[in-house]
Amino acid sequence: MADRGDQPSDRNTLAVPPFGRQYRGIVRARSGGEQTPRGLGISVSAVVSALRRLLDELSWEGNARKYRDGGLGLENVLTTEVFQGLDFLPRQAFLGRVLATTSGARPDAAVHEVEEAAVDVLPGDLTHPLVGIRAQPDVRIDSPGAFVFVEAKRPRSPTFGSDQLAKELILTVEHARGRRPTLLLVLGTPPPVRVRGHGLFSIEDAVQLGQESLAMKRQRPVDVPDPTEIVAWTTWADIAAHVDAAL
């Protein structure tokens, strides 16, 4: 999600969008061809909640025209459609496979507990009062022994805020509350990542830049967890390939 800085959000976000052929395949795999909430075996209220959160999130953008094609390729729409689909499908075969094949840090605890995990799309801001930061995951995945903060970027020309990865890394560990933390980046292409106003960086260097930015803003040192232990990444193309393979 685009970095909004540390300003509080009044919205309690979520969503549902287009993943094209892979998403239609997801629906057929779960429902036996019947593309309805009942056929999917899911709660209608869950779909309604997702739609409300997506619409609420989009309402803050102030430009509805870019969604006239259904929002294809736009990150909030894509994220909601894909992760809601992964939530409703057989967990080990789909979401478990996506998590197990990420690069970087290994979210083994999340993979092991994927059947009992709660998947919440556009869940609202997370905060860390002592550091004075906030950020909204695009998706959060909670299980007894694991916490995954998902940061999804649009497939084309994505950028991170200068301190975005550092903030999200701090918040991932804070809200894991003793569970195994993972910050999962869903990218258009493999790293390096583009940091707004600074150019291309490795994930580790982008976190270091963010740590320095946070320290400068607060006029004091800010501890940031080691990204090599916590940050995992995948791409939209990887997710599509894994979904195809599981169908």
Side-chain angles (χ1 to χ4, degrees):
M1 176 167 293
D3 183 29
R4 299 195 306 267
D6 296 325
Q7 294 303 310
S9 167
D10 293 329
R11 51 206 190 275
N12 199 11
T13 9
L14 206 256
V16 180
F19 199 35
R21 180 168 56 87
Q22 288 80 14
Y23 183 70
R24 291 192 291 273
I26 284 174
V27 173
R28 287 196 297 273
R30 181 70 171 188
S31 66
E34 183 183 351
Q35 298 188 37
T36 65
R38 176 176 293 181
L40 282 167
I42 62 177
S43 165
V44 173
S45 63
V47 175
V48 171
S49 176
L51 285 168
R52 285 176 177 167
R53 291 189 193 178
L54 176 59
L55 290 171
D56 188 54
E57 182 70 27
L58 300 184
S59 73
W60 288 83
E61 297 185 10
N63 181 9
R65 292 183 179 180
K66 62 184 178 181
Y67 295 97
R68 285 180 177 174
D69 63 352
L72 188 63
L74 299 177
E75 64 188 55
N76 286 332
V77 177
L78 181 61
T79 300
T80 303
E81 182 172 73
V82 171
F83 278 89
Q84 187 164 310
L86 291 172
D87 183 21
F88 296 148
L89 285 166
R91 285 289 183 79
Q92 286 292 350
F94 289 88
L95 180 57
R97 186 185 183 107
V98 168
L99 293 174
T101 53
T102 56
S103 299
R106 305 295 302 173
D108 293 334
V111 174
H112 180 70
E113 298 177 346
V114 70
E115 292 289 351
E116 52 192 314
V119 178
D120 196 1
V121 184
L122 301 176
D125 288 352
L126 303 182
T127 63
H128 193 311
L130 294 180
V131 183
I133 59 174
R134 66 174 62 239
Q136 180 185 2
D138 293 293
V139 183
R140 62 178 290 167
I141 302 173
D142 289 88
S143 66
F147 173 69
V148 182
F149 181 126
V150 179
E151 172 60 43
K153 289 297 184 183
R154 63 190 180 199
R156 295 181 181 178
S157 304
T159 60
F160 287 87
S162 61
D163 59 5
Q164 185 176 358
L165 282 175
K167 289 194 300 185
E168 291 178 347
L169 195 50
I170 293 169
L171 289 167
T172 298
V173 173
E174 170 69 13
H175 288 267
R177 307 197 192 286
R179 296 171 292 171
R180 181 70 176 89
T182 300
L183 172 57
L184 173 59
L185 308 180
V186 183
L187 306 170
T189 58
V193 299
R194 186 170 297 280
V195 179
R196 192 179 309 116
H198 295 275
L200 293 172
F201 287 80
S202 69
I203 290 172
E204 293 78 10
D205 287 345
V207 170
Q208 176 66 33
L209 176 69
Q211 182 177 21
E212 294 169 0
S213 177
L214 288 173
M216 186 176 300
K217 289 177 183 177
R218 285 154 181 78
Q219 297 297 303
R220 59 184 173 85
V222 176
D223 291 330
V224 177
D226 182 357
T228 63
E229 299 292 327
I230 297 170
V231 180
W233 63 268
T234 187
T235 67
W236 292 111
D238 289 339
I239 294 176
H242 297 316
V243 168
D244 263 350
L247 291 174

